[in-house]
């Protein structure tokens, strides 16, 4: 369909604007009026009247202005009359419906800060590009003393200011740098005029990029590597499955052209030829004195480790000339990888989802650099006929152990290279030898602390928490060593004796919360397998009869609820004492702790000034922070669920999760009272069943010349590069900022490869205990080329880790200074990066954006409109604080999906949409719509996919027959249901297909127009103007003006 043209003068503030580039054009029809059903009927229960004006707060902008287009086929007829009924003529452009409750953007006051004053009538519409993410690698942990951690502060490093440096200094010229091989110049970025026509955006939820696990093809067919791994001093109670052995990495290699492995020659001898000379027939370009270029097939997947700059600048001046931070985003337990033994190592072929597990022989141990303690990896080089290997981080030459020796082939690779998993994969796991284990691996411990006050019962929190635990109890019982305990809290603390010899659980009440004690110190934490019948009885019978909403006393009124006192503080301290050997403590909050140790007083929060005053964002007391520091030393992790319409002081309690590496969940009961319990139940089950590692520490190492400066995430920094997170799981990500400390050390003959390029490496090592009780070391190593060309730096910038890093710097600024300063710093960071590119490569007065940064302005604006940073007085303080902590834990891909969700129309499906593309193929999705309200219709039904929730937005004039087919309202609120109608099957196919692609269980929530949650979802429409922030076109014009002013090109 031809694009609509808009005159330049139409882009003034308050007028309708076209969608920016990167979003696909709207589909051919959004009428919701279809033939096939007779006259309309009344809307189902739970929905507003099909023709009535919506109730509730006013929307963000001119929402649901109808768009006329050719009618598409759909089995549902339109209502015969109403504000959204109009002829479906392709040439007809109806005006907005009279009496609509959706004001136009012009009704809002102009935006301050220059956004409401549009400059030149030009817009830049960067095409949205699918971001891929590269994992990083660095650390090692064999030298850790896990029992005596050194005390340190979690803020060991003072981060650099988020505000960008001055733009006055010009970037260094290429001629000033050391000579390197000439590289072809990339075509210039598009101009504003060339970007005026939007291009369809590739789906962020499409098929994953090709895996980078597999090694290159092998020309030598070698037999399977035999192995007999020696048992560890603390062996796992779960032996490896028969027929799936782990790869032993010190066994002799047979069938290599010689009868048996020769003994390693003495260091200094030169068998065959002098060192430094190529063998006859050696591959052209192979130089024994230089390292081999990294094999791209050995690079780890970007989902595990990604870097903001895919080419490392050669100098500090070149890095500053890019205007972008150098940082690495690590998600070591990404769910796309499954660590499992490899049944064979022939040519080291491993599936893309498989992380190879290597069990080194006890006589040899794990091969590591003797100086920097890095692990052997695919990017080391072997020299002196294979007798020594050069570390790719500190460049030290290390001796090869005799059992690990192999001769070199003519191409510089070991003769057994393709049989060594650790030399072919940048992502591997080692089974930790006995010298890496300071104590026997601890059994998994789970302590549940549930608030059972009137508020918790009446809102459904207790029922949802118990149902979530019960749905995950089978998974926890898979390990026969799992230990479990329960506490419930009101104005006293209730303990439960679940000793296996009992016939029924015993409830023990301790009302003396000021001097808290454990009534049965040795019988409260029990083995789940032996006490399973008592646990089932407690969850299925006792808790429902005591604490579910049906058990409430009808005489207890709202006055008694407001006078509720909570002893949650003493209960938290007692739960820590029960799990002090290391484990998980799950806290379900519904009332502010007000009795005993850790009691908090309600703070008089002035929502009108919370945007400028940071005291509401910081802890009011150090008691929970000190408890978290002690818990971190003992590997105790706190996960928290905040579920209440009242103030809970999340800023103070969130320190428990932040320092111990746990998760925090917040449920806005005020606006989502119906959906919140269902979401809580799913979150509890997902947290307990996802892949987890216990007693976890992470170390990050970089090549010489690069150093780490700051860290972001939920953990505790024990020393310069060691992060302690009591529990690590598949949803945790960490960000580390880096700086170029010594350019001469980073670019030296020591790290120059035979292709003339210098390479730097990053290695991440995660030492953890698996759920089954085995100690593992996951090693992720990535090699990146060094460049002296500024154009290379811009061309290989990676938008996902870049926006993740900028968001964490903005959060740090908000907590240290104020939210308005964080917003200014985030906007300035975007302007600074674009100005550096404009200053270096563009001589005209048009703003040109490099391809790699096309999405940057859009994502920055979306981040400014997020509940963590947006300048409104309507967001409650607890929700804002939770949003700040939540953004701090996200990796790049998850943040991009959250800031730029996908929008689909469900009322106008084409004949092939919602059906498989082939008998075994994926479901065909509708075309994605731009995130602007001008592309919505009040007759429509829309699906919004944020990556964490599937939201169905129902317009107030939606067809009643369509609503009856899609939703079940028997519970008093609409729920997506599957019925016998063909259209219902297609819509459910789409929802189930999107749900299956998610890393966690996501809820499907229906928001009819008129509900508060409906209008909150509209705040995610980044193209629209909000009450305090501009539309995307206004924002990009303001960015253009400021960039040109900085470059002196007004």
């Amino acid at each position: 369909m031809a694009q609509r043209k808009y005159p330049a003068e139409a882009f003034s503030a308050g007028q309708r604007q076209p969608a920016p580039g990167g979003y696909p054009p709207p589909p051919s029809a959004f009428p919701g009026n279809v033939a096939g059903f007779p006259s309309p009927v009344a809307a189902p229960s739970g929905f507003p009247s099909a023709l009535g004006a919506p109730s509730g707060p006013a929307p963000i902008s001119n929402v649901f202005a109808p768009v006329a287009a050719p009618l598409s086929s759909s089995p549902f007829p339109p209502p015969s009359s109403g504000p959204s009924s109009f002829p479906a003529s392709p040439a007809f452009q109806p005006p907005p419906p009279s009496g609509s409750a959706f004001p136009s953007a012009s009704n809002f006051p102009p935006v301050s800060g220059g956004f409401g004053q549009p400059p030149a009538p030009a817009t830049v519409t960067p095409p949205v590009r699918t971001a891929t993410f590269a994992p990083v690698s660095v650390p090692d942990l064999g030298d850790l003393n896990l029992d005596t951690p050194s005390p340190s502060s979690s803020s060991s490093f003072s981060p650099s200011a988020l505000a960008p440096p001055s733009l006055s200094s010009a970037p260094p010229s290429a001629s000033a740098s050391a000579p390197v091989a000439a590289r072809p110049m990339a075509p210039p970025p598009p101009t504003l005029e060339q970007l005026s026509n939007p291009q369809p955006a590739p789906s962020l939820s499409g098929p994953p990029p090709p895996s980078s696990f597999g090694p290159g093809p092998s020309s030598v067919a070698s037999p399977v590597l035999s192995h007999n791994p020696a048992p560890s001093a603390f062996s796992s109670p779960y032996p490896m499955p028969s027929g799936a052995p782990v790869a032993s990495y010190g066994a002799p290699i047979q069938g290599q052209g010689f009868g048996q492995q020769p003994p390693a020659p003495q260091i200094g001898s030169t068998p065959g030829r002098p060192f430094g000379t190529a063998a006859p027939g050696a591959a052209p370009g192979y130089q024994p004195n230089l390292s081999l270029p990294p094999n791209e097939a050995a690079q780890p997947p970007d989902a595990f480790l990604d870097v903001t700059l895919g080419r490392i600048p050669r100098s500090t001046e070149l890095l500053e000339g890019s205007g972008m931070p150098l940082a690495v985003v690590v998600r070591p337990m990404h769910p796309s990888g499954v660590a499992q033994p490899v049944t064979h190592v022939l040519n080291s072929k491993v599936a893309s989802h498989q992380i190879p597990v290597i069990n080194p022989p006890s006589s040899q141990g794990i091969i590591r650099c003797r100086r920097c303690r890095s692990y052997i990896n695919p990017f080391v080089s072997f020299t002196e006929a294979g007798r020594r290997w050069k570390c790719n981080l500190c460049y030290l030459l290390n001796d090869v152990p005799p059992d690990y020796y192999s001769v070199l082939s003519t191409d510089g690779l070991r003769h057994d290279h393709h049989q060594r998993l650790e030399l072919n994969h940048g992502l591997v796991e080692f089974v930790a030898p006995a010298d890496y284990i300071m104590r026997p691996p601890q059994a998994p411990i789970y302590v549940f602390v549930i608030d059972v006050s009137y508020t918790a019962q009446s809102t459904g929190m207790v029922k949802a928490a118990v149902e979530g635990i019960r749905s995950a109890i089978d998974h926890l019982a898979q390990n026969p060593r799992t230990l479990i305990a329960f506490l419930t809290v009101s104005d006293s603390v209730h303990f439960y004796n679940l000793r296996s010899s009992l016939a029924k659980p015993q409830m023990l009440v301790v009302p003396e919360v000021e001097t808290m004690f454990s009534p049965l110190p040795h019988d409260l934490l029990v083995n789940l397998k032996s006490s399973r019948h008592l646990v089932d009885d407690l969850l299925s019978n006792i808790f429902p009869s005591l604490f579910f909403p049906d058990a409430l006393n009808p005489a207890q009124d709202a006055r008694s609820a407001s006078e509720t006192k909570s002893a949650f503080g003493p209960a938290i301290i007692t739960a820590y004492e029960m799990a002090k050997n290391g484990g998980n403590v799950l806290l379900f909050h519904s009332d502010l702790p007000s009795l005993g140790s850790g009691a908090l007083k309600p703070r008089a929060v002035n929502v009108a000034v919370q945007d400028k005053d940071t005291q509401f964002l910081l802890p009011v007391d150090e008691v929970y922070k000190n408890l978290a520091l002690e818990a971190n030393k003992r590997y105790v992790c706190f996960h928290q669920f905040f579920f209440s319409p009242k103030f809970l002081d999340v800023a103070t309690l969130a320190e428990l999760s932040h320092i111990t590496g746990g998760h925090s969940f917040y449920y806005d009961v005020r606006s989502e009272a119906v959906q919140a319990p269902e979401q809580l139940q799913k979150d509890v089950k997902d947290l307990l069943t996802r892949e987890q590692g216990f007693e976890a520490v992470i170390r990050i190492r970089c090549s010489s010349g690069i150093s780490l400066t700051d860290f972001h995430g939920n953990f505790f920094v024990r020393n310069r590069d060691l992060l302690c997170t009591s529990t690590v799981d598949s949803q945790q990500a960490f960000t580390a900022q880096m700086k170029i400390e010594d350019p001469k050390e980073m670019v030296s003959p020591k790290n120059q490869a035979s292709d003339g390029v210098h390479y730097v490496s990053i290695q991440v090592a995660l030492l953890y205990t698996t759920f089954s009780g085995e100690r593992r070391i996951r090693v992720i190593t990535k090699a990146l080329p060094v460049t002296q060309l500024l154009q290379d730096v811009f061309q290989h910038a990676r938008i996902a880790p870049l926006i993740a890093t900028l968001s964490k710097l903005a959060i740090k600024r908000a907590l240290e200074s104020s939210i308005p300063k964080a917003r200014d710093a985030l906007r300035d960071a975007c302007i600074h990066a674009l100005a550096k590119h404009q200053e270096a490569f563009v001589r005209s007065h048009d703003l040109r954006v490099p391809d790699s940064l096309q999405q940057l302005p859009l994502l920055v604006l979306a981040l400014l409109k997020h509940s963590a940073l947006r300048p409104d007085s309507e967001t409650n303080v607890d929700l804002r604080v939770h949003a700040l902590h939540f953004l701090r834990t996200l990796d790049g891909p998850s943040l991009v999906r959250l800031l730029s969700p996908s929008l689909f129309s469900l009322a106008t499906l084409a004949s092939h949409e919602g059906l498989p593309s082939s008998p075994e193929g994926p479901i065909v999705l509708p075309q994605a719509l731009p995130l602007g309200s001008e592309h919505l219709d009040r007759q429509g039904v829309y699906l919004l996919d944020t990556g964490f929730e599937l939201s169905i937005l129902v317009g107030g004039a939606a067809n009643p027959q369509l609503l009856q087919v899609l939703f079940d309202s028997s519970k008093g609120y609409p729920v997506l249901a599957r019925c016998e109608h063909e259209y219902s099957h297609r819509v459910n196919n789409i929802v189930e297909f999107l749900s299956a692609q998610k890393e966690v269980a996501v809820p499907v929530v229906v928001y009819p127009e008129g509900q508060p949650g409906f209008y909150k979802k509209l705040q995610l429409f980044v193209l629209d103007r909000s009450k305090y922030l501009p539309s995307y076109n206004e924002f990009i014009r303001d960015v253009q003006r400021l960039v040109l002013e900085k470059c002196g090109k007004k």
Side-chain angles (χ1 to χ4, degrees):
M1 182 177 71
Q3 286 291 322
R4 291 178 290 180
K5 303 297 183 181
Y6 292 83
E9 57 271 14
F11 293 139
S12 59
Q15 294 182 352
R16 179 174 300 181
Q17 304 146 8
Y23 286 90
S28 58
F30 309 92
N33 301 341
V34 210
F37 278 81
S39 59
V41 298
S45 173
F47 291 95
S49 172
L51 302 180
S55 60
I60 309 279
S61 66
N62 52 332
V63 186
F64 290 136
V67 178
L71 185 65
S72 65
S73 61
S74 176
F76 301 101
S80 58
S81 63
S84 296
S85 298
F86 51 88
S89 170
F92 179 62
Q93 294 275 356
S98 60
S100 172
F102 303 96
S104 64
S106 60
N107 293 339
F108 291 104
V111 181
S112 60
F115 290 124
Q117 304 173 3
T123 58
V124 59
T125 54
V128 179
R129 298 174 182 271
T130 301
T132 55
F133 316 94
V136 173
S137 330
V138 178
D140 181 325
L141 306 124
D143 49 357
L144 299 180
N145 188 336
L146 300 182
D147 288 332
T148 57
S150 58
S152 176
S153 171
S154 60
S155 56
S156 303
F157 299 93
S158 58
S160 58
L162 177 58
S166 172
L167 290 169
S168 57
S169 60
S173 61
S175 60
S177 306
V180 296
R183 298 182 181 220
M185 298 291 287
T191 64
L192 282 172
E193 290 77 7
Q194 293 170 334
L195 291 171
S196 59
N197 293 324
Q199 300 296 325
S203 173
L204 287 175
S205 60
S211 170
S212 56
F213 267 93
S218 172
S219 59
V220 180
S222 301
V224 176
L225 180 64
S226 60
H227 59 86
N228 290 297
S232 171
F234 300 103
S235 58
S236 168
Y238 302 96
M240 294 296 180
S242 176
V246 298
S248 169
Y249 95 168
I253 308 300
Q254 303 295 332
Q256 296 184 353
F258 43 85
Q260 59 184 4
Q261 177 179 336
Q266 296 297 320
I267 299 301
S269 64
T270 51
R273 60 181 182 275
F275 172 70
T277 61
Y286 166 58
Q287 305 177 50
N289 291 329
L290 298 178
S291 303
L292 294 174
N295 182 7
E296 286 301 317
Q299 297 281 11
D302 295 342
F304 288 83
L305 187 151
D306 208 353
V307 187
T308 55
L309 303 178
R311 297 291 185 270
I312 305 299
R314 189 182 183 119
S315 63
T316 305
E317 294 75 18
L318 194 62
L319 176 60
E320 293 176 352
S322 70
M324 295 178 287
L326 179 61
V328 56
V329 180
V330 185
R331 191 174 172 185
M333 302 287 286
H334 194 278
S336 64
V338 178
Q340 54 186 253
V342 181
T343 56
H344 63 86
V345 295
L346 180 60
N347 295 334
S348 62
K349 296 294 184 182
V350 176
S352 60
H353 64 278
Q354 191 176 9
I355 301 175
V357 178
I358 303 170
N359 192 357
S362 57
S363 60
Q364 176 182 292
I366 302 175
I367 297 179
R368 302 171 60 183
C369 176
R370 68 176 186 271
R371 176 196 288 167
C372 69
R373 305 301 293 158
S374 63
Y375 293 84
I376 195 167
N377 60 80
F379 311 115
V380 304
S381 57
F382 290 85
T383 185
E384 297 188 20
R387 297 187 303 273
R388 308 186 83 182
W389 64 277
K390 184 171 68 174
C391 175
N392 57 318
L393 277 83
C394 70
Y395 318 130
L396 178 70
L397 287 175
N398 295 270
D399 296 337
V400 174
D403 292 342
Y404 198 74
Y405 171 77
S406 175
V407 297
L408 299 184
S409 303
T410 56
D411 56 1
L413 298 176
R414 290 167 53 102
H415 200 281
D416 65 344
H417 174 82
H418 293 295
Q419 293 183 340
R420 298 292 184 182
L421 294 171
E422 68 280 3
L423 300 182
N424 286 272
H425 301 280
L427 173 59
V428 296
E429 274 200 0
F430 295 99
V431 177
D435 55 344
Y436 285 71
I437 304 174
M438 300 302 173
R439 65 175 185 178
Q442 299 300 297
I445 296 176
Y446 297 90
V447 180
F448 300 94
V449 185
I450 306 174
D451 189 341
V452 293
S453 63
Y454 178 85
T455 303
Q457 297 183 51
S458 60
T459 57
M461 188 204 75
V462 179
K463 181 178 181 180
V466 171
E467 293 294 340
I469 297 170
R470 188 167 62 177
S471 63
I473 205 71
D474 287 337
H475 173 79
L476 302 182
Q478 291 178 4
N479 188 337
R481 305 193 326 166
T482 299
L483 303 178
I484 195 169
F486 293 89
L487 283 78
T488 54
V489 186
S490 55
D491 55 356
S492 57
V493 180
H494 318 142
F495 298 86
Y496 297 87
N497 184 1
L498 302 174
R499 191 172 63 243
S500 58
S501 59
L502 297 175
K504 281 284 192 180
Q506 293 179 350
M507 180 178 178
L508 309 172
V509 180
V510 179
E512 296 86 358
V513 295
E514 297 294 337
T515 57
M516 194 66 201
F517 65 94
S518 177
L520 295 173
H522 305 292
D523 291 335
L524 300 178
L525 189 66
V526 300
N527 182 274
L528 176 59
K529 182 179 180 180
S530 59
S531 300
R532 177 63 185 272
H533 62 291
L534 298 177
V535 172
D536 290 340
D537 188 20
L538 183 70
L539 297 175
S540 302
N541 299 318
I542 297 179
F543 281 166
S545 63
L546 294 177
F547 306 124
F548 280 16
D550 297 339
L552 284 175
N553 184 356
Q556 192 172 14
D557 55 12
R559 184 175 60 86
S560 62
S562 63
E563 296 175 355
T564 298
K565 300 295 184 179
S566 174
F568 215 88
I572 294 175
I573 298 174
T574 304
Y576 159 68
E577 293 294 335
M578 296 171 65
K580 63 182 179 181
N581 286 333
N584 290 278
V585 178
L586 280 72
L587 308 175
F588 297 88
H589 300 269
S590 189
D591 278 300
L592 188 70
S594 55
L595 298 175
S597 301
L600 299 175
K601 296 180 179 180
R603 290 194 267 181
V605 179
N606 187 346
V607 295
V609 301
Q610 61 155 306
D611 185 55
K612 300 179 181 179
D613 194 347
T614 59
Q615 64 171 318
F616 304 114
L617 309 179
L618 300 177
V620 71
D621 198 329
E622 296 291 322
V623 60
Y624 292 105
K625 180 179 180 180
N626 295 334
L627 176 62
L629 292 173
E630 290 297 321
N632 184 276
K633 295 179 182 179
R634 295 179 175 271
Y635 300 99
V636 177
C637 181
F638 289 96
H639 304 284
Q640 303 188 83
F641 301 83
F642 299 98
F643 194 101
S644 177
K646 300 184 291 187
F647 175 70
L648 292 178
D649 202 350
V650 174
T652 301
L653 294 171
E655 289 296 303
L656 289 170
S657 301
H658 170 52
I659 295 176
T660 62
H663 294 277
S664 294
F665 302 86
Y666 182 85
Y667 305 90
D668 193 357
V669 182
R670 280 171 263 196
S671 62
E672 301 176 9
V674 175
Q675 300 88 0
E678 177 185 355
Q679 178 62 40
L680 171 63
Q681 180 178 339
K682 290 185 177 181
D683 287 340
V684 173
K685 179 181 178 180
D686 178 74
L687 177 65
L688 295 175
T689 56
R690 68 178 57 156
E691 182 184 12
Q692 284 188 340
F694 304 92
E695 304 172 284
V697 287
I698 301 173
R699 173 156 281 159
I700 304 178
R701 291 187 176 89
C702 306
S703 290
S704 298
I706 298 180
S707 62
L708 303 171
T709 61
D710 200 8
F711 302 92
H712 307 274
N714 284 358
F715 49 76
F716 178 71
V717 182
R718 286 194 179 173
N719 56 36
R720 184 175 59 89
D721 59 354
L722 183 65
L723 313 179
C724 179
T725 169
S726 305
T727 300
V728 61
D729 60 38
S730 58
Q731 297 303 310
Q732 286 178 314
F734 314 96
T735 301
Q737 288 179 255
M738 300 180 291
K739 71 174 182 179
I740 300 175
E741 194 171 44
D742 188 352
K744 293 182 179 179
E745 184 69 17
M746 187 183 69
V747 182
S748 69
K750 298 178 183 178
N751 66 332
Q752 185 177 12
S754 58
D755 59 357
V757 180
H758 295 84
Y759 292 89
V760 299
S761 298
I762 303 172
Q763 189 176 86
V764 176
L766 166 66
L767 175 63
Y768 72 102
T769 302
T770 65
F771 180 73
S772 60
E774 186 175 45
R775 203 74 170 140
R776 295 274 186 90
I777 307 171
R778 180 168 294 189
V779 180
I780 315 171
T781 313
K782 191 176 187 66
L784 298 168
V786 179
T787 181
Q788 65 175 2
L789 301 178
L790 185 59
Q791 184 176 7
D792 267 1
V793 178
F794 278 106
Q795 185 177 354
H796 293 89
R798 302 187 56 81
I799 188 63
L802 177 60
I803 192 63
T805 302
L806 293 179
S807 69
K808 291 165 178 59
L809 292 173
I811 293 169
K812 192 177 186 70
R813 174 66 65 87
L815 297 176
E816 292 179 348
S817 181
S818 67
I819 291 180
K821 290 183 179 180
R823 286 195 298 267
D824 293 341
L826 183 61
R827 187 186 65 169
D828 290 346
C830 173
I831 294 171
H832 181 60
L834 299 182
K836 285 296 186 181
H837 179 271
Q838 188 84 4
E839 186 180 65
F841 300 108
V842 183
R843 297 295 176 260
S844 66
H845 294 275
D846 298 325
L847 176 63
R848 298 197 177 197
V849 181
D851 289 345
S852 60
L853 301 181
Q854 289 287 321
Q855 256 189 305
L856 182 60
L858 179 72
L859 294 175
V860 166
L861 179 59
L863 194 55
L864 292 174
K865 293 183 177 182
H866 191 269
S867 57
L869 298 175
R870 63 173 172 242
D872 63 32
S873 58
E874 301 168 1
T875 304
N876 72 76
V877 177
D878 282 343
L879 177 59
R880 188 184 292 274
V881 172
H882 166 72
L884 289 170
H885 284 271
F886 177 66
L887 291 180
R888 186 160 50 184
T889 63
L890 291 182
D891 63 336
S894 300
L895 181 60
V896 170
R897 284 192 295 268
L898 178 65
L899 298 178
S900 182
S902 302
L903 180 67
F904 307 99
S905 174
L906 299 180
T908 56
L909 297 180
S911 58
H912 64 287
E913 293 172 346
L915 299 174
S917 57
S918 64
E920 300 295 332
I923 299 297
V924 178
L925 298 177
Q927 186 179 21
L929 303 178
L931 285 174
S933 58
E934 65 178 13
H935 302 283
L936 302 183
D937 185 352
R938 291 192 61 213
Q939 294 176 332
V941 178
Y942 300 91
L943 177 63
L944 187 67
D945 179 9
T946 66
F948 297 93
E949 180 181 280
L950 293 176
S951 308
I952 299 180
L953 309 179
V954 182
N959 190 286
Q961 286 89 2
L962 175 62
L963 302 184
Q964 287 184 336
V965 167
L966 295 182
F967 304 109
D968 176 17
S969 300
S970 59
K971 297 181 180 180
Y973 56 91
V975 177
L976 182 67
R978 185 186 290 269
C979 69
E980 296 302 323
H981 197 283
E982 184 263 349
Y983 206 84
S984 174
H985 287 294
R986 291 163 61 189
V987 169
N988 279 271
N989 288 343
I990 293 173
V991 172
E992 292 171 2
F993 177 74
L994 292 174
S995 298
Q997 295 179 334
K998 302 298 182 290
E999 299 166 357
V1000 297
V1002 296
V1004 181
V1005 185
V1006 181
Y1007 296 97
E1009 181 184 338
Q1011 290 187 359
F1014 178 89
Y1015 300 105
K1016 286 192 174 184
K1017 295 304 173 184
L1018 294 183
Q1019 294 175 354
L1020 299 175
F1021 283 38
V1022 67
L1023 304 186
D1024 293 338
R1025 172 193 269 195
S1026 67
K1027 187 176 181 180
Y1028 301 100
L1029 290 171
S1031 68
Y1032 176 73
N1033 283 302
E1034 292 170 342
F1035 178 76
I1036 200 63
R1037 286 201 308 272
D1038 198 63
V1039 168
Q1040 178 189 18
R1041 175 177 58 83
L1042 295 174
V1043 167
L1044 296 180
E1045 286 180 359
K1046 281 183 174 290
C1047 297
K1049 301 173 183 178
K1050 299 181 181 179

